[in-house]
Amino acid sequence: MSEPNDPPPGGLDAYIDAAAGLLAIPLDPAWIGAIGSNLAVLRAAAAHVVEFPLPDEADAAPVYEA
């Protein structure tokens, strides 16, 4: 089983192509590199959130509605 921060099978370019196809989003091939760079930064940021330890007694933040 893969870990949350493992690269997707086939790399980010394959993931971008597959996601764009599933969402029917036309992509200019010139954008693939920038999209891949953005996803790599977001994945690294998400890893910090996932790795942050929380005690079992931590409560969820309240939801405020206007």
Side-chain angles (χ1 to χ4, degrees), residues 19-31:
L22 286 171
L23 297 170
I25 299 172
L27 290 182
D28 183 332
W31 299 349

Side-chain angles (χ1 to χ4, degrees), residues 45-55:
H48 289 295
V49 174
V50 170
E51 293 169 359
F52 188 82
L54 289 175

Side-chain angles (χ1 to χ4, degrees), residues 1-8 12 39-51:
M1 176 174 254
S2 66
E3 293 295 318
N5 205 31
D6 286 348
L12 282 177
L39 288 175
V41 169
L42 291 172
R43 188 173 60 199
H48 289 295
V49 174
V50 170
E51 293 169 359

